[in-house]
Amino acid sequence: MEKLSPLAPPPDWTRLDQFQETITREEFIQLINTLYSPTGAFWRYTIINGNELTIYSDVEHNELLYRLRLAPDQESQLPLKANWVSCIKTKGNGSSDSKPLKGLVICLDPGHIGGKWAKMEERFFQIGSDPPVIEAELNMNVCRRAAHFLEEAGARVVWTKKNYEPVTDLRPADLRADALSLLFPFENQENLPYRFSDEIEKKISLTAERLFYRNAEIRARAEIVNRFNPDLTICVHFNADKWSDHPTREELVQKSKLVVFVNGNYSEEELVFDDQKWDLLYKLLSRTSVPEVEVSEAVAKEMELVWNFPPESYNNWSAAYKVGKSPYVFARNLLANRIYHCPVVFIEGPYMNAVDAYDRIIAGDYDGNKIINGKSFKSIFVEYAEIITQGIISWATSKEGIVVEK
């Protein structure tokens, strides 16, 4: 019986057949060791015999999942069919200086749900009588501006959502059974009582809510992304340090830090789940890592130029792993950048509760410039959108630029 992550459908291992002999043994090992499983956890579930990789569900190698044939060398490597490595340079693809992104389909994914769900998501805070800070609204503001700029540059823009309602049809009440399975994994679910103590009922409710907005919502968005099959998906977020239940201006942190995530760094705890083994293999074999890292580095360069905030360090956090050349780019196994099958760039903007961003955030979106604390600023949402757009343009028009040939 396959071991699955919460709400994950059983993976279809035959979908990996298209990748047989399309990657050399050397490249496969290099990608595992430097990006997807730098701790070596992946190898606990596999055996390489010559050029055949056998993947197991268990570390004892008793429960076979799949066999993947690796090419012994580049000369014998079969071509990928319709994937992100089958590409041509932007230059010569009908693009021009005025439309440098012509031919690209870019999906915008504004993070979180917002609206009446914002407090449940823990993406809401308010200082005194200041306007409330609701992250979903900030992300949407950026995406609306970015859509305009990207389309002006020639891209076709699609969205995972455009409002403050969930994409998923599920609601927390629908996920009680899943919450019980997580909280009581070793119990016979049919023998559990109908109602528990108030304390346990609260845990059940919180677990069901988190499954709703952290899991079911992202899985519903993945269906949209994978149906569109865009060349690139940009997940837009603002970051934050911890805030209290009743925050004050004195609690604002002094400086924002910035980070861009690409898919990778699957932990031993995550690779217990067979769907995550499949997800890792699909992302690796479809070669999404090349454009993910390249676009992330290009966007990070723009973030540094415009905002000049330092990068996150994550010295004491194993979930993030430094990759590539930019100090701002890390590999992390987030649900969105794992199950969205195209290249995904997951951007965390300035801290919502930092001195350098807070007043600009509560000023809202606007055209032109506005005086804030004695200085003239353009809208932080316009600025963020310009950073995203210029980063993608810089990547697409560089000598390593990639446009998918479908």
Side-chain angles (χ1 to χ4, degrees), residues 56-248:
Y56 296 90
S57 177
D58 60 321
V59 295
E60 293 80 20
H61 299 169
N62 293 322
E63 302 170 43
L64 175 66
L65 291 174
Y66 191 70
R67 287 192 173 94
L68 177 72
R69 298 188 305 278
L70 305 171
D73 49 51
Q74 290 185 347
E75 288 70 26
S76 56
Q77 180 177 338
L78 298 178
L80 282 170
K81 294 180 181 177
N83 264 281
W84 289 273
V85 79
S86 302
C87 60
I88 55 177
K89 301 292 190 295
T90 299
K91 293 173 183 177
N93 189 43
S95 63
S96 65
D97 291 340
S98 62
K99 300 291 182 184
L101 301 183
K102 184 178 179 181
L104 275 177
V105 179
I106 298 174
C107 182
L108 294 175
D109 182 35
H112 307 294
I113 303 170
K116 67 180 183 180
W117 311 98
K119 290 184 179 179
M120 177 190 292
E121 295 178 291
E122 300 176 325
R123 291 298 184 271
F124 174 107
F125 75 94
Q126 186 171 18
I127 294 178
S129 60
D130 289 350
V133 177
I134 303 171
E135 190 192 343
E137 295 182 6
L138 314 186
N139 301 333
M140 190 70 74
N141 286 342
V142 174
C143 286
R144 286 171 179 156
R145 293 287 192 169
H148 174 71
F149 296 146
L150 292 167
E151 286 169 346
E152 278 194 330
R156 182 166 77 88
V157 174
V158 296
W159 294 67
T160 57
K161 61 169 289 186
K162 286 187 173 182
N163 56 34
Y164 302 118
E165 290 297 324
V167 175
T168 178
D169 293 330
L170 295 172
R171 295 295 181 266
D174 302 320
L175 297 166
R176 180 179 173 87
D178 300 277
L180 289 171
S181 295
L182 282 176
L183 293 171
F184 304 100
F186 304 111
E187 301 286 339
N188 185 329
Q189 300 297 303
E190 294 180 358
N191 293 337
L192 291 175
Y194 176 74
R195 176 128 189 125
F196 296 84
S197 67
D198 289 348
E199 182 180 0
I200 294 177
E201 283 294 330
K202 185 176 180 180
K203 286 183 180 178
I204 295 168
S205 294
L206 286 172
T207 303
E209 289 173 357
R210 286 170 183 155
L211 284 171
F212 159 66
Y213 64 80
R214 291 183 182 175
N215 202 306
E217 174 67 9
I218 304 304
R219 292 189 181 280
R221 295 189 192 198
E223 292 181 14
I224 294 171
V225 173
N226 297 338
R227 187 167 63 246
F228 279 133
N229 191 27
D231 301 318
L232 183 66
T233 292
I234 306 294
C235 299
V236 175
H237 291 254
F238 278 75
N239 214 336
D241 207 338
K242 292 179 180 178
W243 60 71
S244 64
D245 291 338
H246 302 286
T248 65

Side-chain angles (χ1 to χ4, degrees), residues 239-394:
N239 214 336
D241 207 338
K242 292 179 180 178
W243 60 71
S244 64
D245 291 338
H246 302 286
T248 65
R249 279 186 172 263
E250 288 69 32
E251 292 178 60
L252 294 175
V253 297
Q254 287 303 304
K255 200 165 188 66
S256 293
K257 294 182 180 181
L258 301 171
V259 65
V260 185
F261 291 117
V262 299
N263 181 243
N265 195 35
Y266 289 63
S267 72
E268 188 159 352
E269 294 78 15
E270 292 161 344
L271 287 171
V272 165
F273 300 108
D274 297 333
D275 58 290
Q276 298 208 38
K277 298 182 186 79
W278 188 97
D279 293 333
L280 179 157
L281 288 167
Y282 189 91
K283 294 290 282 190
L284 184 157
L285 294 169
S286 59
R287 312 302 205 281
T288 60
S289 63
V290 173
E292 282 183 358
V293 173
E294 287 180 353
V295 178
S296 294
E297 289 182 342
V299 170
K301 184 177 180 180
E302 293 298 321
M303 293 170 83
E304 183 178 18
L305 285 171
V306 174
W307 284 328
N308 196 31
F309 300 150
E312 297 281 5
S313 60
Y314 299 130
N315 291 329
N316 299 311
W317 193 43
S318 61
Y321 178 78
K322 181 71 201 67
V323 295
K325 301 171 186 175
S326 170
Y328 294 86
V329 179
F330 287 77
R332 188 178 172 194
N333 181 20
L334 295 162
L335 184 59
N337 68 11
R338 183 173 81 243
I339 66 174
Y340 297 1
H341 288 163
C342 62
V344 179
V345 175
F346 195 106
I347 310 171
E348 291 277 7
Y351 286 8
M352 294 176 281
N353 59 339
V355 170
D356 50 36
Y358 175 75
D359 284 309
R360 296 184 66 190
I361 286 171
I362 64 171
D365 194 13
Y366 50 87
D367 295 321
N369 280 38
K370 183 180 283 191
I371 302 300
I372 300 173
N373 296 330
K375 294 183 180 179
S376 178
F377 290 100
K378 68 171 63 175
S379 161
I380 196 170
F381 308 105
V382 171
E383 213 165 58
Y384 196 162
E386 288 175 340
I387 286 167
I388 292 170
T389 305
Q390 187 53 52
I392 297 172
I393 290 173
S394 297

